Amino acid sequence: GENVEQHPSTLSVQEGDSAVIKCTYSDSASNYFPWYKQELGKRPQLIIDIRSNVGEKKDQRIAVTLNKTAKHFSLHITETQPEDSAVYFCAASMYGGGSYIPTFGRGTSLIVHP
Amino acid sequence: DAGVIQSPRHEVTEMGQEVTLRCKPISGHDYLFWYRQTMMRGLELLIYFNNNVPIDDSGMPEDRFSAKMPNASFSTLKIQPSEPRDSAVYFCASSPPLGTGLFNEQFFGPGTRLTVL
């Protein structure tokens, strides 16, 4: 099955700095890569995603990049703010059983210091 | 829509007791997923259903775990007997059919925090 590695497990930055979270996956059949944000005590929520036919996608201060050859993808947050503090999960999804089923990374706890 | 609904939000039980977690997916969503979240193992997929039918239960840790989806608006995850190592947050998530434009975004419920003493 698919295996997703996520690094770092904890990331501490100062407000205004950039933050980068990296993930690798093992199965080349994966072709959809969502990122979820989970605030303390809350449910995970989708913040951005990228499909395998795209190398980069941006949405305001967040961007994702994908390198299919190397099987890795990254989340970039610029101008971090305290409200960005949360756990971020990457996932690699492949089509199966009529849907895209995700395998999640272990999560990165991002702490933004004001 | 109220989103995915889970109950109870918190459950404290003693080892050996039966635990039943409940989930109501978003209306119109035909996929339902059960996840377990722990610090050690992160977010693990336990089982998922399509149109009320279990598709993949390979993530269910042991025979003590079972899940059902008797209809499109209700699912249960049962642990019998429960053990302290089952303590975790259990999330239910649902996703819409392919082709609705949301490309399988998973909508998570608020989770059930289970503590087995």
Side-chain angles (χ1 to χ4, degrees):
Chain A
E2 176 64 274
N3 181 49
V4 177
E5 299 284 339
Q6 182 172 349
H7 298 281
S9 57
T10 305
L11 180 58
S12 183
V13 300
Q14 289 294 130
E15 183 177 0
D17 288 351
S18 295
V20 180
I21 302 170
K22 298 181 180 181
C23 292
T24 60
Y25 61 100
S26 60
D27 197 325
S28 57
S30 289
N31 55 3
Y32 172 60
F33 306 89
W35 287 84
Y36 287 79
K37 175 183 180 182
Q38 184 180 26
E39 297 177 356
L40 187 63
K42 301 283 184 65
R43 70 193 77 186
Q45 291 187 293
L46 179 72
I47 55 170
I48 194 168
D49 56 13
I50 190 168
R51 304 175 192 181
S52 60
N53 60 347
V54 174
E56 183 175 0
K57 182 178 179 180
K58 289 184 180 180
D59 183 2
Q60 299 182 337
R61 295 187 296 107
I62 60 174
V64 289
T65 58
L66 170 65
N67 183 325
K68 286 174 55 181
T69 304
K71 296 197 192 71
H72 67 70
F73 55 114
S74 301
L75 176 71
H76 304 252
I77 306 174
T78 58
E79 301 174 20
T80 53
Q81 300 169 3
E83 52 264 39
D84 294 329
S85 297
V87 177
Y88 292 80
F89 292 94
C90 65
S93 305
M94 65 178 74
Y95 189 80
S99 184
Y100 287 88
I101 308 304
T103 299
F104 284 92
R106 292 281 298 275
T108 295
S109 178
L110 173 64
I111 303 166
V112 180
H113 299 280
Chain B
D1 198 313
V4 176
I5 299 172
Q6 289 186 248
S7 65
R9 295 292 307 277
H10 302 273
E11 176 81 30
V12 180
T13 191
E14 293 190 342
M15 183 174 62
Q17 296 298 306
E18 177 179 296
V19 175
T20 299
L21 312 180
R22 298 173 176 79
C23 175
K24 176 179 168 56
I26 293 173
S27 177
H29 286 192
D30 61 350
Y31 281 86
L32 184 138
F33 303 79
W34 282 101
Y35 291 91
R36 177 172 68 176
Q37 185 177 32
T38 61
M39 289 293 292
M40 290 296 294
R41 302 174 71 90
L43 202 57
E44 300 174 275
L45 176 62
L46 301 178
I47 184 171
Y48 73 94
F49 296 81
N50 176 223
N51 291 321
N52 315 336
V53 176
I55 303 300
D56 186 350
D57 66 354
S58 60
M60 296 285 262
E62 302 171 33
D63 290 346
R64 299 184 296 106
F65 286 70
S66 62
K68 294 181 180 179
M69 192 166 186
N71 57 62
S73 59
F74 183 67
S75 177
T76 60
L77 177 68
K78 186 175 292 187
I79 308 172
Q80 166 62 20
S82 58
E83 297 182 4
R85 60 197 169 114
D86 301 330
S87 297
V89 179
Y90 290 81
F91 286 103
C92 173
S94 68
S95 64
L98 281 178
T100 58
L102 294 178
F103 208 85
N104 289 123
E105 175 179 351
Q106 301 224 337
F107 293 82
F108 284 79
T112 295
R113 181 173 295 277
L114 174 65
T115 303
V116 183
L117 303 174

